[in-house]
Amino acid sequence: MLNFNDVSVEFETTQSKIVAVDHVTLDIQKQNFVCFVGPSGCGKTTLLNAAAGLVMPSTGTIRYDGQLRKGFNKDIGYVTQTETLFPWRTAAENVGLALELQNLPRSEINERVDRYMSLVGLRNFQDHYPRQLSGGMRRRAALARTWIYEPETVLMDEPFGALDEQLKLSMQKQLLDLWERNRSTIVFVTHDLAEAVTLADQVVVFTSRPARIKAVKTIDLPRPRDPYRIHFSKEVQSICAELWELLEDELRETVQ
Amino acid sequence: MNNGNAASESAVFDSERSKPVRERPLLSPAVVVNLLRVGFFVASILLWQYVLSPALDPFYISSPSRIAVRLYEWATDGVLLPDFIYTMESTFIGYAFGCGAGVACGFLVGRIKLLGDVLDPFFDALNSLPRVALGPLFTLWLGIDLAPKVLMVASLVFFVVMSNTRAGVRDVNPDYVNVLRIMGADEKTILWKVVLPSAAVWIYASLQVALPWALIGAVIGEMIASDRGMGYQILHAGGVLDSTGIFAGLVILMIVGLALTHLIRLLEQYSQRWRPQGR
């Protein structure tokens, strides 16, 4: 239902043209959990930006539910990599932002904010301003801000990248629990292969820039999955090894 | 959410507000600053009273004691009250109009790029006009009562507030705007929820800067053509070579200016409490 058809994105700088995404064709099925992996700077973020409507593809089309999309799409939530909590709002006011836009009654907003802030472990930090939170806490608040309005599709750009290992596992579990319940479509960019395998139905491996699809790997591990358990399991490790082989050449190119 | 939580809770920081606890010095820095301020003030007054006034000539520079006596007389017999109110009236009305128009226009030219590009040089040209020189025109159009003074005040305040608002509106982080667009917000919502709060810092700064200008505008307006007001009284005192009267008038204006500036600063501190304090 989210279809990229021959999508390319080029940026023009004063000196040269940079191709960030190169003829990507990809179908993401409804209610699937899809992870993007690939060398850093390869153009995964640009692809997400295009899906969210922040960037127009230079060629190709993006369809959502079969309809051509230009500009912003309310049904797609996006947790960007850049920090975008509003500094003049408290954590709770930031998290409740989308509900405010929907003009929900105050009591319902408060109740849901409370629930989602507990979910990301920030229950006691509702009245803190972003500058009073640590980097990891700000990431989690940003997640709650998108999760709370339960968009049909959620794009997430390395949401757990800045978190320590324990917190990351715990957040993965929260995310999977949430997803088992509301079954949104999720596109999740990560560097962490084990994370991708733990979470995803499909892992899409990208080449180094410009981003082309190198392989799509279906992960058949049974659900519901428990990240604590399977993170270090043999199955996950062996799929990671497989993915790593695909990535290795690309990484070598990037480093050179 | 059990593991990792304890670790992250200790990671909370607010470098501005919570400092490591140390042994406190006898006097806090704020007290020291205030004591030094009072000392400086008293020393200046004493210097004026006992050195400058006798050495030069009280006829020209008056003296703190004479000024104090004059202020006391004015306060008790209330002769100056109507003048004072008159000046405050034109200051406030002009300030309100100038700020309102400034914020509105700043928003328009900040948000609508074409409008801004077209009008910017005209605003610059108008702003470079010495407003005092427009005084005779204002008098010609509006007479010598309150209206020309209000216009004078507003014309000074307007540009300060407008140019700051414009800068603030253009400074809005596009990432913040995108957050709302992705949530499906319309332009009006974006204006209220992102543009206004993030431009507020700039607007408050300009409200503060504009305040002395409002007083200046009112007094100048009264000096150009008036039969009332603090500016008129100061001019009159000058005419009869009464330096004490001039200084007493200035003291009143200064106190009013300080009080108003302080008021706006409090307002700013309250509405901008998300920012680090102590700047």
Side-chain angles (χ1 to χ4, degrees):
Chain A
M1 43 87 78
L2 178 57
N3 313 301
F4 299 88
N5 187 14
D6 201 30
V7 171
S8 298
V9 183
E10 290 170 15
F11 293 107
E12 267 183 77
T13 64
T14 42
Q15 285 95 24
S16 61
K17 238 194 224 170
I18 294 173
V19 182
V21 177
D22 193 15
H23 298 286
V24 167
T25 297
L26 177 69
D27 289 339
I28 291 170
Q29 298 305 318
K30 215 170 193 131
Q31 303 191 329
N32 267 21
F33 200 129
V34 177
C35 282
F36 288 0
V37 297
S40 45
C42 81
K44 301 174 300 258
T45 298
T46 308
L47 198 58
L48 287 197
N49 286 344
L54 295 177
V55 183
M56 283 292 285
S58 313
T59 61
T61 53
I62 297 174
R63 280 167 199 276
Y64 189 87
D65 277 344
Q67 281 181 317
L68 208 58
R69 290 297 183 172
K70 275 186 187 152
F72 298 95
N73 182 348
K74 243 184 169 172
D75 296 326
I76 299 183
Y78 189 9
V79 185
T80 54
Q81 210 176 10
T82 46
E83 224 165 76
T84 55
L85 292 180
F86 296 173
W88 57 85
R89 282 172 170 251
T90 63
E93 286 165 352
N94 267 292
V95 170
L97 184 61
L99 306 184
E100 236 175 79
L101 299 189
Q102 293 169 12
N103 285 322
L104 296 182
R106 196 73 250 171
S107 58
E108 191 187 338
I109 295 181
N110 291 342
E111 185 264 315
R112 271 166 79 176
V113 165
D114 205 58
R115 185 144 47 91
Y116 275 84
M117 292 203 72
S118 309
L119 201 69
V120 296
L122 291 177
R123 190 156 202 274
N124 298 325
F125 295 95
Q126 304 207 3
D127 296 331
H128 286 57
Y129 287 99
R131 72 183 168 89
Q132 298 169 309
L133 301 174
S134 70
M137 297 167 100
R138 286 199 286 261
R139 297 292 312 161
R140 285 183 276 148
L143 282 169
R145 182 176 65 180
T146 297
W147 290 354
I148 196 168
Y149 72 104
E150 300 181 346
E152 202 174 45
T153 297
V154 184
L155 315 174
M156 283 185 252
D157 197 356
E158 295 185 27
F160 306 152
L163 307 182
D164 61 67
E165 199 63 28
Q166 299 99 301
L167 195 53
K168 193 192 257 193
L169 282 174
S170 150
M171 292 300 294
Q172 288 171 2
K173 180 158 170 40
Q174 297 296 346
L175 174 58
L176 282 180
D177 288 350
L178 197 70
W179 178 73
E180 295 286 354
R181 267 192 283 125
N182 69 12
R183 281 285 168 166
S184 49
T185 309
I186 294 183
V187 183
F188 187 106
V189 172
T190 176
H191 281 307
D192 182 341
L193 293 181
E195 180 171 69
V197 175
T198 305
L199 297 174
D201 293 315
Q202 281 103 37
V203 177
V204 182
V205 182
F206 285 91
T207 62
S208 54
R209 202 172 67 201
R212 261 168 283 136
I213 293 177
K214 179 142 192 176
V216 179
K217 170 89 188 151
T218 302
I219 313 292
D220 282 326
L221 300 173
R223 293 201 187 263
R225 299 176 189 165
D226 181 351
Y228 298 113
R229 240 161 248 200
I230 66 169
H231 188 78
F232 303 103
S233 72
K234 277 215 182 74
E235 294 100 311
V236 169
Q237 294 303 323
S238 76
I239 302 172
C240 281
E242 231 175 285
L243 292 174
W244 175 246
E245 259 168 48
L246 288 168
L247 267 174
E248 207 172 14
D249 308 335
E250 301 300 329
L251 291 173
R252 201 170 295 135
E253 261 174 57
T254 315
V255 172
Q256 274 171 0
Chain B
M1 273 330 305
N2 304 321
N3 47 3
N5 212 6
S8 61
E9 267 172 49
S10 66
V12 176
F13 64 95
D14 183 354
S15 47
E16 294 84 10
R17 210 170 288 166
S18 53
K19 294 202 172 106
V21 180
R22 288 205 195 133
E23 260 187 75
R24 283 179 195 203
L26 199 59
L27 293 172
S28 77
V31 172
V32 172
V33 167
N34 280 328
L35 282 177
L36 287 174
R37 278 176 183 165
V38 171
F40 182 71
F41 176 74
V42 170
S44 307
I45 294 294
L46 290 178
L47 186 76
W48 188 357
Q49 175 76 32
Y50 293 108
V51 181
L52 294 178
S53 274
L56 300 164
D57 186 345
F59 177 75
Y60 294 110
I61 63 164
S62 188
S63 73
S65 59
R66 285 164 213 249
I67 296 167
V69 168
R70 181 68 62 88
L71 285 173
Y72 178 76
E73 284 167 11
W74 283 351
T76 45
D77 66 12
V79 280
L80 222 60
L81 196 62
D83 294 291
F84 179 75
I85 291 172
Y86 187 76
T87 302
M88 288 300 101
E89 250 178 302
S90 55
T91 303
F92 280 121
I93 300 172
Y95 182 72
F97 273 116
C99 289
V103 169
C105 285
F107 258 91
L108 281 177
V109 294
R111 286 297 287 177
I112 305 170
K113 193 173 175 312
L114 182 66
L115 196 65
D117 288 347
V118 171
L119 291 182
D120 273 356
F122 295 99
F123 281 131
D124 289 343
L126 280 178
N127 192 27
S128 63
L129 280 179
R131 244 45 55 80
V132 189
L134 294 180
L137 262 188
F138 293 168
T139 309
L140 184 69
W141 294 340
L142 299 168
I144 63 162
D145 204 8
L146 212 56
K149 285 105 193 173
V150 167
L151 187 59
M152 177 67 78
V153 172
S155 75
L156 282 164
V157 167
F158 172 81
F159 288 99
V160 176
V161 176
M162 193 274 294
S163 59
N164 262 280
T165 305
R166 179 181 60 191
V169 166
R170 288 184 184 167
D171 184 56
V172 171
N173 184 343
D175 286 345
Y176 295 161
V177 177
N178 283 337
V179 166
L180 281 183
R181 286 200 203 284
I182 286 166
M183 289 174 179
D186 53 18
E187 285 302 312
K188 199 181 117 208
T189 313
I190 288 169
L191 210 62
W192 278 110
K193 305 254 179 209
V194 176
V195 180
L196 188 64
S198 79
V201 187
W202 296 69
I203 296 174
Y204 272 111
S206 72
L207 294 185
Q208 225 171 26
V209 174
L211 201 60
W213 284 104
L215 269 180
I216 290 168
V219 171
I220 284 179
E222 288 162 4
M223 287 181 161
I224 291 170
S226 188
D227 53 2
R228 263 172 293 173
M230 295 303 293
Y232 166 76
Q233 289 300 344
I234 289 173
L235 198 66
H236 179 75
V240 298
L241 309 178
D242 172 18
S243 66
T244 302
I246 297 176
F247 276 114
L250 290 176
V251 167
I252 292 175
L253 290 177
M254 195 169 67
I255 290 171
V256 170
L258 270 178
L260 292 177
T261 306
H262 195 68
L263 196 72
I264 293 210
R265 206 167 286 161
L266 285 180
L267 194 71
E268 179 185 13
Q269 262 166 21
Y270 174 73
S271 79
Q272 303 287 301
R273 59 197 178 285
W274 55 273
R275 312 190 78 217
Q277 297 297 312
R279 285 199 172 162

